[in-house]
Amino acid sequence: EGSEHDYKIKLVNHIIKLIEQHNKKLKFSVSGDGDPFASLVYRYLLTNLNVINKDIEIEIVTNGILTKSYWPKMTGIHKNVVRFKFSFDAGSELVYDQVRRGGSWNKLINSVEYMVNWRKAYNPRMKITSNFVVQTGNYTDMASYVDLCNDLGVDEINFQKIDNWGTF
């Protein structure tokens, strides 16, 4: 709420206008700095953007918690999403609860299953990807993660080393 929110929405409306008027190939990722479905500003962007029949490729990076609630409302980008990336960081609920505090294992799994089925029905070229940031609390869960992702029908499985962004 307030002037800062209003300013951000004004910026997003300008970005939407620029993207929709763009007539060359364009690729972008949302987000990497938090979950786009949890952000009012990112949700506004993804819900109001209409790039149907445009040469635009979008990658969405999410923790999966709010995917099922908001994805159906983002119809103007559905066919343009080429990669839907879920952050797992675990292969089991026990490890997930330790390394992704505040998350919901069941919502993540349900969201991945939902998007795998949605992709089959509506956008078969879209890739479902999973991310695993390797750290002390989860490295023993890597094999379980690979097995789980294979069982879920994930297309791409990623491992990344943890980086200290000055938070530990």
Side-chain angles (χ1 to χ4, degrees), residues 150-161:
N150 285 330
D151 291 345
L152 289 169
V154 170
D155 300 304
E156 301 170 344
I157 299 171
N158 295 316
F159 288 100
Q160 300 164 260
K161 72 178 183 95

Side-chain angles (χ1 to χ4, degrees), residues 66-85:
L66 298 171
T67 301
K68 287 175 69 176
S69 298
Y70 293 106
W71 177 247
K73 300 171 186 174
M74 300 175 176
T75 56
I77 64 166
H78 280 176
K79 297 291 184 180
N80 300 83
V81 175
V82 295
R83 181 168 284 103
F84 213 99
K85 213 179 251 193

Side-chain angles (χ1 to χ4, degrees), residues 132-148:
F132 187 111
V133 177
V134 180
Q135 51 197 293
T136 304
N138 69 0
Y139 75 94
T140 60
D141 220 26
M142 292 168 71
S144 297
Y145 161 74
V146 171
D147 291 341
L148 172 67

Side-chain angles (χ1 to χ4, degrees), residues 9 12-13 16-17 20 40-51 73-77:
I9 295 301
V12 168
N13 282 326
I16 288 171
K17 181 180 170 187
E20 289 178 352
L40 294 175
V41 175
Y42 279 135
R43 267 198 332 250
Y44 181 87
L45 169 68
L46 297 174
T47 302
N48 289 287
L49 189 60
N50 186 349
V51 291
K73 300 171 186 174
M74 300 175 176
T75 56
I77 64 166

